[in-house]
Structure formats: C-alpha cells, structure tokens
Amino acid sequence: MVIKHLKLDEINGSLVSIDSVKDASNEEIVTLELEDGTKRMGRIVKIDGDRITVQVFEGTRGLSMTNVTTSLSGEAMKIPLSPEILGRTFDGLFRPIDGLGEIYPDERREVNGSPINPVSREYPKNFIQTGISSIDALATLIRGQKLPIFSGSGMKHNELAVQLVKQSTISDGEDFAIVFAAMGVKNDVAMYFRNSFEEANVMDRVVMLLNLANDPIVERIMTPKCALTVAEYLAFTLHKHILVIMTDMTSYCEALREFSSSKGEIPGRKGFPGYLYSDLASIYERAGMISGVEGSVTQIPILTMPNDDITHPVPDLTGYITEGQIVLDRGLDYKGIYPPVSVLPSLSRLMKDGIGEGFTREDHQTLANQLLATYAKVQDAKALASVIGEDELSNEDKLLLTFGNEFEGKFLNQNPEENRSIEQTLDLGWELLSLLPRNMLDRVDDKTIEKHYRPNTAD
Amino acid sequence: MRENLIFGINGPVVTVKGHTDLSMMETVYVGNARLIGEVIKVNADSTTIQVYEETTGLKPGEPVISTGSALSVTLGPGIIGNIFDGIERPLPEIKNKFGAFIGRGADFNAINTEKKYSVTVTVKPGDKLKGGDIFATCPESSAIVHKAMVSPYICGEVTEVAADGEYTVNDTIVKLKKDNGEIEELTLSQKWPIRTPRPIKKRLPATKPLITGQRVIDSVFPIAKGGAAAIPGGFGTGKTMTQHQLAKWCDADIIIYVGCGERGNEMTQVLSEFSEITDPKSGKPLLDRTVLIANTSNMPVAAREASIYTGITLAEYYRDMGYHTALMADSTSRWAEALREISGRLEEMPADEGFPAYLPSRLSEFYERSGYVENLNGTEGSISLIGAVSPQGSDFSEPVTQNTKRYTRCFWALDKALAYARHYPAINWTLSYSEYTNDLSNWYRDNISPLFMSYRDEICSLLLEENSLMEIVKLIGSDVLPDDQKLIIEIARVIRVGFLQQNAFHKDDTFVPLEKQFKMMEVILHLYHRAKTVTERQIPISKITATGLFDKLIQIKYDIPNDKLQMFDLYMQEIDEELDKILK
C-alpha cells in the first residue's frame, strides 16, 4: 500500500517540506504528482522526526501547498542497467530521451555507490597513448586515472576531449566504451560531441547523459552519480574499459551551491558548501581499477575556471583530489597554439610509474624533467626580455627564447587530426633539446646524452 | 532503561529526541544496520550523534544502542603491517566480507584473534607491576618485537603467569591481584579511547634529529625525534611524495601513515611499494614497521575526523614500549574540513572561512601528543608528527596553515614555482624554517662534525644572498653584476641544483647519509672559498666557470655512491689543482 500525502508544508527554492510523514528513510526517492497528472521526482535530504525535506529534481515551479500529492518509493535512487544502454541517450536522471523506449533492466543499482576498498584497488600503471605530444610526454594519461582538463570559457577543451577520445589507445579493441555526462553545457556543445562520436564511428559504444544548460539544476546534482554508476556497471560487471567524460564540473558545483544555500547551510569559501571537497571526492574517487577484475574507469572531467583563476574553489579542490591536471592557457590559445596546454602547471601523478622502459621508453622521465626545467627557465628569460629587451639578453637567455618558441610551435602545437606516436613525441623532444648546448641540460646524465642528444642536427 | 530512537537525520548527523542516558563521546550503534556512531552533543531535549558510515536508508524510529564506552581502539600485536580505516577496522577483513566495495554496518575485530604469537613472559609471581610495565614480549613482525604492557591505570601483584608458548591476543598471560583484592587478567591486547592521550612519566627535551636522508631537511631544516613539522603546499607541489619519502627513509622504528581524506590510489601505492622496498636498517620489508590508516576522501567524513586520533593512539602505544615512532598525516586540512563539515551540520557558529571556532584547540591537542618522553615503565620513546597541510588556493594565510604554524616548530613550505620547474623536494628555503636547529646543534657537533652547523649556516646565508641578488637580476640581467656577486649566483646554483634538489627515483640519491650530506656541503663551500680568493685578485669568473667545476659538483650526488665517500678527497684535490692553475 502506498501512502499519499496530500499537501506540502513549505516550498523554498527546489526544496519542499512535508509534515507528518511516517517511515521515511534518508536519501529515499519520492514522487510528487500534480493536479494535472504530471509527475516529478524528489529525494529526501533531511529528516526531522516526522518532517521531511525533499529536493525536487525538476524544480518547484507550479507547486503549491495544496495541489500536490506525494508518495514515498521506499528506496534510494536506483537506475536500470543492462548492456542495451550502449548507444542510448538519457537525461540527467538517466531517463531515455532518444525516443527508443524504456530500458529493460538486468539490474537496478543505487546511484550513490560505495567507496572502493583501498586494499582491493589495483595501482594504475598502463600507459594510454593519446597521440598528443604535450600530454603523452609531460602529463601522461594512465588507464584508471582521473585527469581533469582545467580550461576557461572560449578555450578549446571540447576539441581536446574529442581528440583524446578519437586517438587514445584506450579505444583500441572491442572492450571499450565511453560514458559522456553533460552538466549545464549548451545544446550545441552536446551536439558537437555527438557529431564527433558519430564521425569517429563509436556512437554505438557511447552512453550519453545530457543535462543541458536549460535543464533543471537539481537534476544536475544527480547526473555525475548516474553516469559513474553506469561506468562502474560497464567496467566491473561487463568488464569493459571505460572513459568517462564529464563536462562541465563548474556547473555541477554551482548547482550544488544553489541547492546548499536554499537548504540554509553554512557556506564555506565563495559560498560553496563546506562539504564540496567530500562531494567532489565521492565523484572523482569512483575512477580506478580493481585487482583481479577486468575493466577500468578512467575519468576526464572538464571544468572551466571562472575568470581563469586556478585558485577558485572548484579547480582548487578538484586538483587536490584528481591525479594531476591538464591546464589550458589563454596566452597560448591567443597565439593560435593547439592544444594550448600550459605544461608547467600540468601534471600527471601516475606518470612516474607508467612510463620508462617496458611502458614507453627508458629516456622518457629524464626528457620530461629536462624539457620542463628548461621551459621554466624560458619563462624567466621572457620576463627579463620584457624588461630589458631581447637584444640585451645574454647568449644563454637568447638560446632559451629560441628554444621556447620552437617548443611551443613544434612540440605543443599540433593539428587536431595529428596522431603522434610516443617515439615521435620523444624524438621531437630531443630534437628541441639539441638546440641547446650540453651544459644547459642539467637533468640528463652522460649516457642518455650520448644516445639521444644530437647537437649537430640543429640548424 | 528506555530505548533511544532516531528522530532526525541530516547527512552523517543523527539526533535522538528527549532526555537520554547517552554520554558525551560514547560509541553507539545507530539503526537496524548497526552503523557505528559517536555522541557529540548532549542537551536536555536532544542528543546528537555523528555516524561513521553512510546514512542512506536510515529511518526515524530506528534504535540507537549504547555501548557504554568511548570510541576506542584495540591495541595489541597484529597492528603492524596492517591497513585500517579511520576507526581501526581492518580493510582486508572488510574486503573478505564485502568484496571490492566497502559495505556498511559491520563490526570487526581490529586485530586477528586467532593468530598465535610465541610469547615470552618476563615477570614471575610475586612481582609488583604498575601501569605501563612490560610483562611479556612476542615477535610481531620480522622487524618489531611487541611488548605487552599493563594498562596505564592498573597496578598490583602478579599471582599467576602462563608458561612461555603460543597464545592468541585474548588468552590470559598474567593474573594480577590489585590493591583492592580484585584479580585482573592481563592479555596481549588492551583498549584505549582515541581522544585521550596515553599517560607518560615526563617529557624530555628533543635533542636527537629524526634522520630522513633528505638533504634539505636533515641539513637545512632538521626535525628532532619527538618534534612536529608541517608540510604545507598547494596541489601538485609534492606533499604526498615528500611524506612517502619520509615514511620510507626516516630512522624511526615504527611508521604510522594516516591517509586522511586523500586518494585511494595513493594508499594502494603505499601498500604495494612498502611491501617491496626493504628498510636499509633492518633489511626487512618496510611494511614490517609500518601501519597504514586509510580513510580516503570518499569514505565517510566522520571517520576521517577520527582517523587522526586513531593514528596517534597507535603511535602512543608503540612509544610506550620504548620505540621511536613517526606519524605522517596526509592531510590535516582534510581532517579540518571534516570538522567544518560536521560543525556546519550541527549549525554551530562558524569562525574563519566557515571553520569552527575550536579548530585551533583541536589542532593543538593533536600536535601536543608528539614528544620525546620517558614512559611510565622507564623506557624512552618518541612520537614525531609530520602533518601535510593543503591550503586552499595555495594561500598560506588560510586558517589551517596559520594555526598549524603555531603548534609545529618545523615548517617546510612547498612552493609551486619550484614544483613547476620540477625542483623536488619543492621546499622553499626562504619561507621554511626549523626551530630545532639550536636544540640539535650539539648532536651534529658530537656525531657528525663540529663544523656541520657552521657549514649549514653559510649555505643558508649564500642562498639568502642569492635571493636578494636575483631581485636585481630580474630587472637588469646577470651580466652587469660584479664578479663576486656572479660567484654567489653560480655557487647558489650548485647548492640549489646539486644539493637541495634530490632525486627520489635514483638509487643513491633517494636516501643520503648525513656523512655524505656533510661532505657535499664541505666540497661546495671549499670551491666557493677558493673561487672567492681568485675573484678577489681581479681574475674574471669566466675562467673558473670554464673549468666545469661547478657543473661537476652538481653531479656529485649521482657520481659518488653513498658507500664511497673517500672519493670526495679527489674532488677537493681537483678544485685545488684547477684553481692553482688559474692563479698561476
């Protein structure tokens, strides 16, 4: 028997409160039925004795104290899962929106998920070649990693994400799939991704969850949870290698902030709730591999840094959770360099164990250290040049500037269609280092120099 | 006794209505699923409980069952080499029960109750024992001998002892007749509430360094055994890397590594790496002296708050046996955020940036549990605390960094700019400090060399001088500087790249003994002093740089193996010869 509650007692933003509710459980899903027969879904977020507070996913517009009947479902939010979901498109709450009908589930799973036991995890070590020099050489992507792209409005993060999907060797073989979660992005961005997936002929391996900019904000809070539940199902039950692309995490966090403030919670920095870190962690930490189980979840969240500020709470907290970051730089973008990866703040924490002999090449780490250390000096030389002029620079600094330009123009810059193998990337790196005299390469030992350093080839 | 029922639920915070018999900080089981919780607020008409597990599905009206005791950990053999969550539940057991994902509402024995240890009893009937006294020993891991102690507040006379042999942690080893005539049965294990420091006899001054093998720490900003240090740094500056290096190489007997609200993969890495690497001192796997506490960022937030206390209680237990322990907490900011999150749910009045007003007092309580002490049983032991701090937006003026600074005497500030240039460890030498240098100078004088401290000071002042010169260089370039200042810049480069920078992946450079550190400083300063006399004679510095000596010294860290320190003499000779040539 389903008990229906005939009225509401408070409506505040996306939250409604109902009194005298018996037997409600925390995080339970409720259905609100309006007089005209339309239904909305909500989730219990707070219980005070017999008063419950419900977050309404589709928003509270049109609700009044009297025109709604509410019924409890008796369980937390679950989504239907079966192998058929591949190739389908869903809304932010995982309801099909492609007109192909409902999913006949093999199983229904709670979206909140459970943390992976650190003892059961397998430490990710498999190098994924992306064909993009700046990433492969300097911030290597590893299977099972969570590596976000920190971008800003107007920069080419979507193109970069598509290139990653197209070229990365995670998409080799039969057992890969992509879960794409859009949160508060514009319709044409979602279209762009869909078209690119179709072009790359992978659409039948993609699960799309779309919560677009004009969709209810409260649904957005559930979107990444649904997407990752799907990813975990595909990875650990169907044993596929999953790449999850989530864009834009900043919209997600803003939705969370809106929800938190309407709940009357005490805000932390910039009005974001104090639990933003824990909340983001519950999303990002769902990447990984489990020992003894085939399958992996690799995450590439994309976030736009408001005002390009990397210290904004969203990129800041993200960086503390994820295993590195790829930072895009507006200066490089203006210069027309694609992908505009700012290599100095970019980093992959799992790189050190996934490269070198047996994975990429034995000189990879040394080369990466030397390129970054030299490029850091280029920045100093540039700063100096802007004060005293290029002509006044010492010879060493002039060489650095040449190196810097070549590095940006040849190494960072590449065509969106260009797929460089790791050997090509590393050789290119050495070619650039060969522009500099030996004594400026302080991170390289003599043996490596002998093998790769070719100053005479420099012109 | 009336039953306590759940009234309200808000995230991890649960309230019970009415006047209850629950006491502050008591452990309770919440709901039908028996989730573990702790009482954090009691008043006339309601009691507030923080729950250490996910509260999804919990309903009002479900029971709250009291246990009558404060949140405690079990102490006994079987802790070393294990990995626990924030409230000392063994993760391998959780894995056996729930599989790869962590389930809820299960009670586990923290330590294996079936395994038998070969116990040697060290007391005999008639002996008088007081709190802290050791009554039996048993090998716990290949590297550590466990010493079973009388619980701190118990004393009495031994009436019966078991014969040496194989016992589990729950078997009675010794029977003690207390002064009031009661018989206390002592086993290998005991319980202790995590928020109460274990008592000691007295604190001793911290005069011995915790040797870490990291040059920038040992030589420039040393920490004492029993000291407390903070490692603040934004993301990507290498906090975790530095913590791992310290956990691997520092010369403490036992390492407690608390992964507090950090990444799951990092804990997996520690687990796999530490079982492969061998301890240079004992030759045994590092894991045989390590305890891991893993409460990753997606595990329940209340258990994250408790994990720090669990860690320090374990550290205190081994300290009481007379061991030198070191606790690495990565990261205390996540712990502070857990405090903030729970405080927010309790609707407490926030102070700075939403953190509760009691943040400083909690931090000080934690850091004050470090120290070099004389234990109740007369042995000496220490706890060194090394806490990573993750300041929001890399801004060191935020509350956690500022308050931590007040209670730690070592501050190893990690610098983004250094990390970007891949200078690791990215410890900034102008922002960092150690207040232990004076306390430790006698030790360095007696054990390494009387010159150690003066070399250190000279190295520091050279770096400072370079720092101010660089201000000028940034404006006008280095070409215009006079030769003596150019020399400072050159030698400071050698110090920075050749000495401070250290390669954690190089077999010799990952751990450098103090003797080599001293010799490295010596040879660098020797070059500086000799070169200075050359430049004073108006000979251009380019002649010295042309010899390649500077670059050669930078490579010393790789070129001289840790066990061939006599090679330093050759370098000294070469410097003398080359510079004599120039002078002629």
Side-chain angles (χ1 to χ4, degrees), chain A residues 85-116:
Chain A
I85 56 175
L86 285 169
R88 302 284 306 268
T89 306
F90 302 85
D91 73 356
L93 288 179
F94 206 65
R95 293 175 298 204
I97 51 169
D98 49 5
L100 297 175
E102 292 292 314
I103 301 291
Y104 296 100
D106 282 359
E107 66 172 296
R108 290 164 52 77
R109 227 182 245 196
E110 247 188 61
V111 295
N112 286 329
S114 305
I116 303 180

Side-chain angles (χ1 to χ4, degrees), chain A residues 178-377:
Chain A
I178 296 161
V179 176
F180 176 80
M183 288 159 284
V185 299
K186 286 199 293 289
N187 201 22
D188 32 356
V189 172
M191 282 298 288
Y192 170 77
F193 275 99
R194 174 191 279 278
N195 291 340
S196 311
F197 292 150
E198 274 167 3
E199 251 171 53
N201 232 346
V202 292
M203 198 53 211
D204 57 339
R205 295 168 186 280
V206 180
V207 183
M208 294 189 97
L209 286 91
L210 302 180
N211 171 278
L212 302 178
N214 54 350
D215 286 337
I217 253 186
V218 198
E219 284 184 18
R220 198 167 295 162
I221 295 174
M222 301 309 287
T223 307
K225 294 195 170 85
C226 294
L228 288 162
T229 309
V230 172
E232 280 171 3
Y233 168 75
L234 294 173
F236 303 129
T237 308
L238 301 184
H239 306 301
K240 292 172 184 297
H241 293 289
I242 308 298
L243 184 65
V244 186
I245 296 180
M246 298 185 285
T247 179
D248 165 349
M249 289 308 290
T250 311
S251 303
Y252 168 80
C253 295
E254 279 164 0
L256 199 67
R257 172 166 67 180
E258 189 174 330
F259 162 63
S260 159
S261 73
S262 64
K263 233 172 126 185
E265 289 171 336
I266 292 167
R269 212 153 58 105
K270 291 212 170 161
F272 287 98
Y275 52 79
L276 184 63
Y277 177 83
S278 303
D279 193 276
L280 284 173
S282 73
I283 293 172
Y284 295 136
E285 276 291 320
R286 288 172 83 172
M289 295 199 288
I290 295 179
S291 66
V293 181
E294 184 71 17
S296 63
V297 177
T298 310
Q299 284 186 14
I300 302 191
I302 301 173
L303 54 89
T304 47
M305 299 182 278
N307 201 17
D308 293 351
D309 175 11
I310 199 169
T311 65
H312 183 277
V314 179
D316 191 45
L317 295 179
T318 298
Y320 276 123
I321 306 164
T322 54
E323 285 139 353
Q325 62 276 337
I326 293 170
V327 184
L328 303 191
D329 179 69
R330 204 168 288 278
L332 290 173
D333 194 42
Y334 282 151
K335 281 193 201 165
I337 289 165
Y338 170 86
V341 175
S342 175
V343 292
L344 294 179
S346 297
L347 165 84
S348 163
R349 290 169 190 272
L350 300 182
M351 172 173 168
K352 59 185 189 301
D353 296 307
I355 61 169
E357 222 170 340
F359 297 100
T360 55
R361 212 166 76 182
E362 84 291 346
D363 57 316
H364 189 158
Q365 185 74 56
T366 323
L367 175 72
N369 286 345
Q370 186 61 60
L371 281 175
L372 289 168
T374 313
Y375 192 60
K377 281 189 203 147

